[in-house]
Amino acid sequence: MTDSNDLGPEDRKIVTLARSVRARNAVPEGAAVRDETGRTYAAGTVALESLKLSALQTAVAMAVAAGATSLEAAAVVSEAGTPSDADRAAVRDLGGPDTPVLLAGPDGALRSTVTAG
């Protein structure tokens, strides 16, 4: 486990946003992404009968809908041990294979960083 204080301020911000969404909405995951202009988009898991999206897929969709053309970074707060392949694919589609995906636990402590690749 890596201390989230080792992150830069912009990466700490998206971890904090993801953690806040998870707690506020009482969903299994919270996520946030930062686009090429520094704008952030935060979202929680969507679990409707007709639509199921992970928190990170939802955050990427929000960025696309707002006109983002790339991503600088993504963060997920979850109990999971690793970001899913589908989550990494969504980040890769918009940000490219080298986009970092930060995974933090519910306490906000960084567990791992992988690339979308």
Side-chain angles (χ1 to χ4, degrees):
M1 187 175 339
T2 304
D3 187 343
S4 59
N5 290 327
D6 293 341
L7 296 173
E10 293 302 314
D11 287 343
R12 269 197 313 270
K13 176 182 175 182
I14 61 173
V15 169
T16 299
L17 288 170
R19 187 174 181 219
S20 296
V21 167
R22 181 181 183 272
R24 181 178 57 247
N25 296 343
V27 291
E29 294 182 337
V33 298
R34 184 175 61 251
D35 74 9
E36 74 282 0
T37 67
R39 291 178 298 185
T40 56
Y41 308 88
T45 308
V46 174
L48 301 173
E49 190 171 320
S50 63
L51 179 64
K52 298 195 184 324
L53 296 171
S54 72
L56 191 50
Q57 290 170 329
T58 306
V60 169
M62 290 171 63
V64 170
T69 59
S70 185
L71 294 178
E72 291 181 350
V76 181
V77 171
S78 175
E79 295 281 353
T82 184
S84 73
D85 290 342
D87 281 351
R88 291 176 58 223
V91 172
R92 183 174 55 247
D93 286 348
L94 186 57
D98 296 328
T99 306
V101 180
L102 312 169
L103 176 66
D107 62 355
L110 185 66
R111 291 183 177 168
S112 66
T113 301
V114 297
T115 60

